[in-house]
């Protein structure tokens, strides 16, 4: 059974940092490009970042470029999202996904003072 | 960025009724490799999204065949032939032809 389990979400002050993790199982993690997608409260879905299978290529939405870093550890079957200089508008549920086919349950990130 | 316009924003249906959702793109979603990367997701209340249809019309494994997708270029449709109670939620179209991926604004399906 495919599982994607996110962790790391919490309440954080504006300007601070947070790192999300997504542990994968049930499929060959290293064979799949991965992405983070977020959803602000009561809003729609928004793509955040994508990473290639090797981790050698990464892509970000403009609003997070220079602040967020997507990475992966294929040996640990884990995806990461390092989020720095957080803003209130980053408040959302963050989902990891294998480019749409499989999704985690999501982790809530709240940026507030 | 590619803008996906979904209509209607809300849909109210009775059990057994057939409904359609439209998704129009601001530019063609035909990739240079010949594929059209237009997908449909369903997000049930309190749940993560799930993939229903990919490449315009291909049904994801385990998805009931009352769901079907059609279209080409910039104009796409999701049809549910005989709505069931479990179909309630928000439907999103999403394109992965052009970077960045973009999502439609969603269509909320309510059951009368």
């Amino acid at each position: 059974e495919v599982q994607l389990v996110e962790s790391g979400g919490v309440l954080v002050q504006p300007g601070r940092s947070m790192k999300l993790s997504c542990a994968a199982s049930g499929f060959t993690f290293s064979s799949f490009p991965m992405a983070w997608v977020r959803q602000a409260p009561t809003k729609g879905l928004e793509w955040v970042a994508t990473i290639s299978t090797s981790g050698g290529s990464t892509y970000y939405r403009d609003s997070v470029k220079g602040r967020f870093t997507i990475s992966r550890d294929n040996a640990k079957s884990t995806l990461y999202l390092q989020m720095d200089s957080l803003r209130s508008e980053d408040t959302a549920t963050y989902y990891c996904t294998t480019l749409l086919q499989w999704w985690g349950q999501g982790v809530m990130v709240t940026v507030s003072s | 960025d590619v803008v996906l316009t979904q209509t209607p924003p809300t849909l109210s249906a009775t059990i057994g009724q057939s409904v359609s959702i439209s998704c129009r793109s601001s530019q063609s979603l035909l990739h240079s490799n010949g594929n059209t990367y237009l997908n449909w997701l369903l997000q049930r209340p309190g749940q993560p999204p799930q993939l229903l249809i990919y490449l315009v019309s291909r049904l994801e494994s385990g998805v009931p065949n009352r769901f079907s997708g059609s279209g080409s270029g910039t104009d796409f449709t999701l049809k549910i032939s005989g709505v069931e109670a479990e179909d309630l939620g928000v439907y999103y179209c999403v394109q992965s032809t052009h970077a960045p991926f973009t999502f439609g604004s969603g269509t909320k399906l309510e059951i009368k």
Side-chain angles (χ1 to χ4, degrees):
Chain A
E1 179 195 5
V2 170
Q3 282 199 311
L4 294 169
V5 180
E6 301 95 338
S7 60
V10 70
L11 172 63
V12 65
Q13 292 179 327
R16 302 296 291 265
S17 297
M18 178 187 296
K19 188 171 187 176
L20 304 182
S21 299
C22 172
S25 60
F27 66 102
T28 306
F29 179 75
S30 59
S31 297
F32 286 77
M34 298 291 296
W36 289 97
V37 171
R38 68 185 179 184
Q39 186 170 36
T42 73
K43 300 296 185 183
L45 300 166
E46 182 176 83
W47 168 79
V48 175
T50 301
I51 188 167
S52 62
T53 53
S54 67
S57 296
T58 56
Y59 311 90
Y60 301 91
R61 69 178 300 105
D62 286 347
S63 61
V64 308
K65 275 181 190 173
R67 300 190 300 122
F68 288 14
T69 303
I70 188 172
S71 62
R72 64 192 297 161
D73 185 334
N74 285 341
K76 294 183 178 179
S77 295
T78 303
L79 177 71
Y80 303 100
L81 186 66
Q82 175 68 43
M83 303 185 291
D84 300 323
S85 303
L86 281 161
R87 305 168 181 168
S88 58
E89 55 264 37
D90 296 318
T91 293
T93 296
Y94 285 73
Y95 297 100
C96 69
T97 173
T98 57
L99 296 192
L100 306 180
Q101 184 178 17
W102 298 313
W103 295 73
Q105 287 296 313
V107 62
M108 183 68 198
V109 172
T110 302
V111 184
S112 175
S113 54
Chain B
D1 295 0
V2 173
V3 176
L4 298 180
T5 302
Q6 266 185 256
T7 55
T10 61
L11 203 47
S12 186
T14 56
I15 301 298
Q17 183 180 350
S18 292
V19 298
S20 293
I21 299 169
S22 170
C23 178
R24 289 187 171 162
S25 174
S26 60
Q27 58 184 278
S28 175
L29 299 183
L30 177 62
H31 194 278
S32 55
N33 66 11
N35 290 327
T36 299
Y37 295 94
L38 189 282
N39 316 277
W40 290 94
L41 309 175
L42 164 61
Q43 186 173 30
R44 295 188 173 97
Q47 295 296 312
Q50 69 169 102
L51 181 64
L52 297 176
I53 288 173
Y54 62 100
L55 292 174
V56 179
S57 59
R58 298 190 186 180
L59 211 59
E60 173 66 3
S61 176
V63 174
N65 60 13
R66 62 179 179 275
F67 291 94
S68 62
S70 62
S72 63
T74 61
D75 217 334
F76 304 92
T77 302
L78 173 70
K79 183 176 181 180
I80 310 173
S81 300
V83 167
E84 297 193 3
E86 65 181 19
D87 298 338
L88 74 91
V90 181
Y91 291 80
Y92 294 95
C93 57
V94 48
Q95 67 83 23
S96 45
T97 295
H98 304 286
F101 292 6
T102 49
F103 295 83
S105 54
T107 295
K108 185 175 184 179
L109 175 63
E110 300 170 338
I111 308 297
K112 286 180 186 174

